[in-house]
Structure formats: C-alpha cells, structure tokens
Amino acid sequence: GSKQELAMTPAFAVKDVEGTVYTIKVDNSVKKVNIKATAVNNLAIISGNKVVELSVGTNEFSVVVTSEAGTIREYPIKIIRGE
C-alpha cells in the first residue's frame, strides 16, 4: 500500500497542555498505521512507536516520552477509522 503522513488534530506542540488528546481520522480502507514519534531533544526516550492494526471506529494508543531528567509524559492518540 501507499504511505502517507496523517495530520493530527490539534497539531502537535511540545508545550501542549497535559491531557491533550490527539485525533487522527482515516478512511475505512486504512487497516493499519505506523505510529512514529520523534523526540525534539535527542536525549529523550520514546516508547509507543509501532505498526498498529485499526478496528472500525475509535482506536486508542499512546506515545510515552521520558525526558533526559527522567520526567515521563504520555501523549494519547485516538485514530478513528471510518465505517
């Protein structure tokens, strides 16, 4: 299949309020996506990057970032697959 970058709403910003949920809407034809986050600071550790299968409807995932100082922050992502 073809690869394309999907836009999140809201667009990601490092200073987003804790608890911001990022949403991506895809067509029914999209059966899986590759969650691929990259760190702004190359000393941060990211977990949650993976290829995920999508069910029809709302799919919830998260990316967890551990800062150089050890602070952990979770970024929730909802991917909504059309019917």
Side-chain angles (χ1 to χ4, degrees):
S2 64
K3 292 183 179 182
Q4 67 180 45
E5 287 196 18
L6 303 170
M8 292 189 303
T9 307
F12 178 77
V14 173
K15 302 216 184 279
D16 278 345
V17 178
E18 188 81 33
T20 298
V21 176
Y22 299 95
T23 303
I24 301 168
K25 293 183 178 179
V26 298
D27 291 335
N28 177 266
S29 61
V30 178
K31 294 181 172 62
K32 58 174 115 174
V33 296
N34 183 7
I35 296 174
K36 187 175 180 186
T38 53
V40 173
N41 178 334
N42 63 1
L43 298 175
I45 299 167
I46 294 180
S47 62
N49 284 345
K50 59 189 169 195
V51 175
V52 295
E53 303 247 347
L54 300 177
S55 301
V56 172
T58 301
N59 299 264
E60 297 185 8
F61 307 99
S62 63
V63 170
V64 178
V65 178
T66 305
S67 74
E68 177 183 7
T71 304
I72 297 173
R73 180 145 179 215
E74 183 175 349
Y75 296 90
I77 303 168
K78 278 188 185 178
I79 302 176
I80 302 167
R81 181 177 169 203
E83 307 232 347

